[in-house]
Amino acid sequence: MAAQYIDDVWAVTRLIPPGRVSTYGAIADFLTLGSARMVGWALFQSVSGPDNDVPAHRVVNRRGELSGRNHFRPPTLMQERLEAEGVAVRDDAVVDFDRLFWSPTVLLS
DNA sequence: TCTTTGACGTACA
DNA sequence: GTGTACGCCAAAG
């Protein structure tokens, strides 16, 4: 069974609205994991395992780059899904990332 | 058990 | 803007 933080990360990731993106640091800070790497690891488990019902493609690094696209099958799946949701991707990075950025902290409001 | 690596981020030169 | 260093925590070898 997955660890608790894995479940939390998946829950937050599922809350990301379609057409929006979030960052590892924002989720890590929201869950007070203390390390953004845990977020990436948790999402990697979702993509690698059978529980791929997590929109991991909506989570990018701080620059808005698709750093984890190489872990998708095929590696272009991440960009394809983002573009399918209306998120423009250019040079492995989200266009207008500042505008499309979504933070889980909005749930606190 | 120790070492290395990893979907990151911040600090500093 | 670029390169280096460190912290952070967990999994794999």
Side-chain angles (χ1 to χ4, degrees):
Chain A
M1 189 53 188
Q4 185 62 44
Y5 42 84
I6 299 246
D7 193 27
D8 291 338
V9 170
W10 291 5
V12 173
T13 304
R14 279 188 266 251
L15 293 176
I16 301 175
R20 292 296 202 93
V21 294
S22 187
T23 66
Y24 304 100
I27 296 173
D29 183 64
F30 176 72
L31 297 176
T32 63
L33 296 179
S35 179
R37 286 188 168 159
M38 303 295 90
V39 179
W41 209 280
L43 293 177
F44 170 68
Q45 299 301 322
S46 72
V47 180
S48 179
D51 299 313
N52 33 5
D53 57 337
V54 180
H57 57 277
R58 295 180 191 153
V59 184
V60 294
N61 65 3
R62 190 192 170 304
R63 289 187 188 169
E65 300 174 74
L66 284 60
S67 46
R69 74 184 167 134
N70 197 29
H71 294 268
F72 284 80
R73 275 84 64 183
T76 56
L77 180 63
M78 189 173 187
Q79 179 174 341
E80 292 293 325
R81 288 184 95 177
L82 285 174
E83 291 180 335
E85 295 180 354
V87 179
V89 177
R90 182 182 179 83
D91 193 32
D92 298 332
V94 177
V95 180
D96 292 333
F97 170 71
D98 294 342
R99 197 165 60 87
L100 298 175
F101 173 73
W102 180 87
S103 177
T105 55
V106 298
L107 300 175
L108 300 178
S109 62

